[in-house]
Amino acid sequence: MPESGPSHIRTEGAETTAPTRGGVTAAARRASLLVTLVLGGLTALPPLSMDMYLPALPEVTKALGAPAATVQLTLTACLAGLALGQLVAGPMSDKWGRRRPLLIGMIVYVAATAVCAFAPGIELLIAFRLLQGLAGAAGIVIARAVVRDLYDGVEMARFFSTLMLISGAAPIIAPLIGGQVLRLTDWRGVFHVLTAVGVLLTLVVWKWLGETLPPERRHGGGVGEALRTMRGLLADRVFTGYMLAGSLSFAALFAYISASPFVVQDLYGASPQTFSLLFGLNSVGLVAVGQINGKLLVGRVSMDKVLAFGLSVLTLAALALLLMTSGVFGPVGLVPVAAGLFVLMSAMGLAMPNTNSQALMRTPHAAGSASALLGTSSFLIGAVASPLVGIAGERTAVPMAVVQLVCAVGAVGCFLLLCRPGRKET
């Protein structure tokens, strides 16, 4: 294993050479393949937990004798756990370091997922899906905090773009994996697979991902200090601006995910296979633009300029979708709408990594708490936006476009009014 591998990213009880910021060696700060895979796996695990389970919902309804609306609560519970769990795991990682809370979270995730696989009734399944989300949130929030520990500025933005290549693929392949698992076994087999993935990832973290937050940079307080830290972060106008801009952009993505099956298949008559193809192409667009951001733009163009361009494209795409779906251009077919959705999704590849990077660059003293706020805000605002896409019923795509446009305009407003790009901060 080369010296740049994560097994050498340690700040306690290890010999280091050429120390840099936070006691982390220069070799450890280089983007190694193993670091990327470990952190990418942690970031991808929650989407896998959500989306791999989707094809099994009808089977769960029959097997447990529960109404479809009640079975849907298993998704809601997991999403709520992912949102709230970050508020716990982030401050814990600032107090005790990254490694211990992450391992605890992974162990609880494995246990909760195993119980889901054997749940005899819907009530127990909902409860442990909530616990699964709470524990899985540690992977998302601590992965971002580790990136902040190891990288800064341009390097951090590039690494976030690289992570998108892995985490962006998770929602694409998860339903496909779930569908193949259901061909071999029943819905419980999906949770058996997730349990195995959790065990493997836990072992990888334990063996190769060392501590990245040295004791001198930790916070010794409890819940009260964690809340004060978060209050201080929210009082930072620029941090809050980037957080809200990123969360509102993410909400536009949630609106797409919630509405696109109905829009593409029911309104425009596409087959499930065509929908899957379009969904995959849009996800590829997001990942590809994220790679262009990390490999070509970051370091050559100001991150604020790239972010402004991404938010502008996002807004224009949402406006075009609203004009098309509301009939301003007359009847339109699937191809123009699909093109608008592709552009909107691709713009996320510029908005999401740069809002995270710019926000976290302001918080080296509390990266865990900052990462928790970023993640929780995104999930909560996204969860609020998602149901609104069906507010006018199932015969129109206008609500989806309205929600996306409102979120995009809100993101631009937060960026311009709170972050004030181009002005130097004191």
Side-chain angles (χ1 to χ4, degrees):
M1 185 66 60
E3 287 296 310
S4 60
S7 58
H8 298 275
I9 305 176
R10 298 185 183 272
T11 60
E12 301 179 57
E15 294 182 7
T16 61
T17 60
T20 59
R21 177 177 54 78
V24 182
T25 64
R29 292 185 51 171
R30 293 198 298 266
S32 73
L33 176 62
L34 191 52
V35 173
T36 306
L37 292 177
V38 173
L39 298 184
L42 292 172
T43 305
L45 185 60
L48 285 175
S49 303
M50 289 286 294
D51 297 339
M52 192 185 298
Y53 173 67
L54 293 178
L57 286 178
E59 187 176 329
V60 175
T61 302
K62 297 176 183 177
L64 299 183
T70 304
V71 174
Q72 287 285 348
L73 290 178
T74 61
L75 295 176
T76 304
C78 187
L79 182 61
L82 288 171
L84 299 176
Q86 296 186 60
L87 292 176
V88 177
M92 284 175 59
S93 73
D94 281 340
K95 180 179 180 181
W96 295 326
R98 314 302 183 202
R99 184 174 165 84
R100 193 191 316 175
L102 178 56
L103 286 172
I104 291 173
M106 292 302 301
I107 291 170
V108 174
Y109 172 88
V110 169
T113 307
V115 173
C116 288
F118 296 100
I122 190 63
E123 294 82 4
L124 191 65
L125 181 59
I126 291 172
F128 277 87
R129 282 286 279 175
L130 175 63
L131 183 59
Q132 184 191 42
L134 288 168
I140 299 176
V141 67
I142 294 178
R144 277 197 302 262
V146 168
V147 174
R148 181 63 187 93
D149 293 339
L150 298 179
Y151 303 98
D152 204 348
V154 170
E155 291 179 353
M156 182 168 58
R158 284 176 175 162
F159 200 93
F160 274 127
S161 294
T162 302
L163 282 184
M164 288 187 65
L165 182 62
I166 299 174
S167 60
I172 305 174
I173 65 173
L176 300 177
I177 296 175
Q180 294 304 311
V181 170
L182 291 175
R183 294 183 63 181
L184 302 175
T185 180
D186 60 7
W187 66 271
R188 299 182 187 275
V190 174
F191 288 106
H192 288 308
V193 172
L194 287 172
T195 301
V197 171
V199 169
L200 177 62
L201 193 53
T202 302
L203 293 174
V204 169
V205 169
W206 175 76
K207 183 172 179 60
W208 281 297
L209 188 64
E211 183 56 69
T212 61
L213 185 69
E216 63 270 16
R217 292 177 54 208
R218 299 177 189 176
H219 300 276
V223 176
E225 181 172 335
L227 293 176
R228 285 191 294 272
T229 298
M230 289 186 177
R231 185 174 61 188
L233 291 172
L234 292 174
D236 181 346
R237 169 179 51 76
V238 179
F239 171 83
T240 302
Y242 286 122
M243 180 188 74
L244 291 176
S247 298
L248 288 166
S249 300
F250 195 64
L253 175 62
F254 261 61
Y256 159 78
I257 293 173
S258 299
S260 60
F262 138 73
V263 170
V264 173
Q265 295 182 77
D266 292 351
L267 291 184
Y268 291 96
S271 66
Q273 292 74 26
T274 300
F275 166 73
S276 299
L277 175 62
L278 293 176
F279 191 90
L281 286 174
N282 290 341
S283 300
V284 168
L286 185 152
V287 172
V289 173
Q291 294 309 293
I292 292 173
N293 176 70
K295 305 297 184 185
L296 300 179
L297 300 179
V298 171
R300 296 180 175 89
V301 184
S302 162
M303 276 189 276
D304 273 344
K305 290 182 179 179
V306 175
L307 177 55
F309 179 76
L311 293 178
S312 299
V313 173
L314 177 65
T315 304
L316 291 174
L319 177 60
L321 285 167
L322 178 58
L323 294 175
M324 286 188 286
T325 56
S326 60
V328 171
F329 302 131
V332 295
L334 176 59
V335 172
V337 172
L341 290 172
F342 177 82
V343 173
L344 183 140
M345 279 283 285
S346 298
M348 300 291 178
L350 299 178
M352 292 164 62
N354 288 309
T355 50
N356 281 334
S357 298
Q358 292 287 64
L360 287 173
M361 273 198 291
R362 300 183 64 84
T363 61
H365 58 290
S369 296
S371 180
L373 287 174
L374 291 172
T376 300
S377 174
S378 294
F379 276 102
L380 289 181
I381 295 178
V384 170
S386 294
L388 298 179
V389 300
I391 199 169
E394 300 181 354
R395 303 305 304 170
T396 175
V398 171
M400 176 195 73
V402 169
V403 170
Q404 290 172 333
L405 182 58
V406 170
C407 290
V409 171
V412 172
C414 290
F415 176 59
L416 295 177
L417 297 176
L418 297 178
C419 302
R420 297 179 185 173
R423 300 188 187 180
K424 293 201 172 187
E425 295 293 320
T426 57

